[in-house]
Amino acid sequence: MLNRRDFLRAGAVGSGAALLPALGGTPARARTPLLRTRAPLAPVPFTAPLKVPDVLRPVRRTATTDFYELTVKEATAEIYPGVPATVLTYNGTSPGPTIRARAGRRIVVTQTDAMMHETSLHLHGGIVAADDDGHPCNAVMAGGSRDYHYPNKQAAATLWYHDHAHMMEAEHAFKGMAGFYLIGDPFEEALGLPDGPRDVPLMIRDARFDDTGQLMWVPDDFRGRKVALVNGTPQPYLRVRPAWYRLRLCNGGTLAEYKLALSTGDEMIAIASDGGLLPAPQALAMVDLTPGERAEVLVDFSRYPAGTQLVLVNQRGKVDSDTNLMRFVVGDGPRVAGGPFRRHRGVPSRLRPMHRLTGEDAVRKITLGIAGNPGAPTIDGKLFDMDRIDTQVPFGNTELWEVSNLDTYVPHNFHVHGVHFQVLDRNGTPVTGHETGWKDTVSIPESTTVRFRVRFDHYRGRYLYHCHLLDHSDMGMMAQMQIS
Ligand SMILES: [Cu+2]
C-alpha cells in the first residue's frame, strides 16, 4: 500500500489536486501550482481562532521529579488556512507544547533530535546548571537525545524554551522552534490571579513568507519580516468572557520589536516581567518587548459591552500584518463581578517584594556593534568563539554591567544566561514599567547605554551572553563568561 509520500511521488499530485488540502504535508506538495494560485497570503484578518498550545503531560512522575519528552522534528502547519507550511517543531507543533512547572519540583526534559542537523535546547530565563543550559557546545546531534535537568528553584515566571544550536539559533527559532515554560509557586497562587482559560500565553513573533505560503528564511532580514504570528497564526481572534484575563506576552521573534497596546487606548496592568512578579502592579498604555522579553498584563474585559472588539496593536508596525496583531471579542456570558482576585477587591497594591541589589564588586563595560565591522555583529569588537572565555566572573560577585550599543542605526538587546538582573537606567534615565522587575533580556536601542546590576550566585560554569536579535547572535554577537 502506498503511504502518503509515495502517493505524491507517484505523480498523483495533478489528478488528486483537489484532495491536497485534506492531506498532511510535504514541502514538495506545498509548491504545487494549485497552491500558488490561491493567493494564500491575503486572508481576512481575525477569522482564525487563536491557538493556545497544549500543556505537555509528563511521561513519568516520581516524588520529586516530572519527566517530559520533546522531539524536534519537521512538520506541517496551516499557518494560512488551507496552505500547509513546513515548520520546525517540538512534538509536531509551533509553538511547541507548554510545560507547566512548580517551584521546588524538578523537571527532566529529554530532547530527541529527529532532524538532519544538530539542536540545543535552551530554557530562556531558567536558572539551571551550565551543562543543562543548552550551550551550543552541548548540542544534540541528529538522531541523538539529551536530558536537561531543571531544578525550578526560582520564583513563578513566564519562561520559554527555544533552540540554541551553534550559528543556527536564528534560523531554527524562525522556522518554529520555541515554546512556553511556565513556573508557578504558592505565593503567586495565593494572589488568585485569573487562571484556566483566562490565563493566556501569547507568543508573538516576526515572520516572512514566500508567495506559496512557506516561511522564507533570509538572514538579517530586518525589513522583510512583516508578518506577526500570535501562537503561530497571523491575526487570530480570541473570544473572551466579560472578566479579567492574564495575558503572558512573549516576544518569541528574531528581529522585530513590539510596542503592544489595546486599540481602545485603555491601560493594561503589568504584573510581571521576565523573572516573574513585579513588586507592585503598573498601569501601562503600552508594553515594549524586544526578542526574548516577556511581560504579563491583566486586562479587564468586564468593562466592555458584549460584542466589543479590541485589537492588540503593535505601535511599531509598518503594515497591517505586523500592526493589528490579534482581536479580542467580548462575549455576553455572565460577568465576573468585582476584582479578579480571590483575596482582594480589585488588583492588589503589592505583588512580590523585591530585594534591590546595591553596591558592586566589579564594573564591566561591554560594547555591541556592527558598524565598522560590516556584516560582523560583535561584542567588544570580537565575533563569538566557542574556545574563548571572554569574561571571568568570581562566583558570588555582585556586578554593575554597562552595555553600550555603538551602532547609530541598528538596535540590539542583551540577554545573559544563568542569572536575572535589575536594570537601572538607559542613557542615565531610570527604567520604568515592567523593566523595574527582574529581567534576563533588555532592549538597547541605537546609541544607547544600559546599566544593570547582577549577582552571580546560582551556579558555576560557562554561560553565554548575547544580543537576542537572534540573527545577530547567530552571526557572532555573542560571548561567554566563566563563573568560578
Ligand atoms: Cu543585535
Side-chain angles (χ1 to χ4, degrees), residues 134-201:
H135 192 288
C137 72
N138 290 324
V140 179
M141 297 303 150
S145 70
R146 184 183 178 91
D147 288 348
Y148 294 85
H149 301 259
Y150 300 145
N152 300 311
K153 288 183 184 167
Q154 61 187 94
T158 296
L159 312 185
W160 64 301
Y161 61 88
H162 64 81
D163 190 60
H164 225 302
H166 187 44
M167 301 181 81
M168 288 298 290
E169 68 264 30
E171 183 174 350
H172 282 174
F174 175 83
K175 290 184 173 172
M177 290 175 62
F180 278 103
Y181 185 102
L182 310 178
I183 303 180
D185 70 16
F187 181 93
E188 185 196 64
E189 284 157 14
L191 293 171
L193 296 165
D195 58 8
R198 292 192 290 130
D199 175 358
V200 186

Side-chain angles (χ1 to χ4, degrees), residues 397-444:
N397 252 22
T398 300
E399 303 196 351
L400 179 69
W401 285 35
E402 298 184 9
V403 187
S404 299
N405 178 354
L406 303 182
D407 291 326
T408 54
Y409 57 91
V410 185
H412 300 296
N413 74 5
F414 197 70
H415 172 48
V416 187
H417 288 221
V419 291
H420 294 152
F421 51 76
Q422 297 177 352
V423 185
L424 301 179
D425 46 40
R426 188 173 276 116
N427 282 351
T429 304
V431 295
T432 58
H434 65 95
E435 292 193 297
T436 57
W438 285 103
K439 296 284 291 169
D440 56 52
T441 307
V442 62
S443 171
I444 312 186

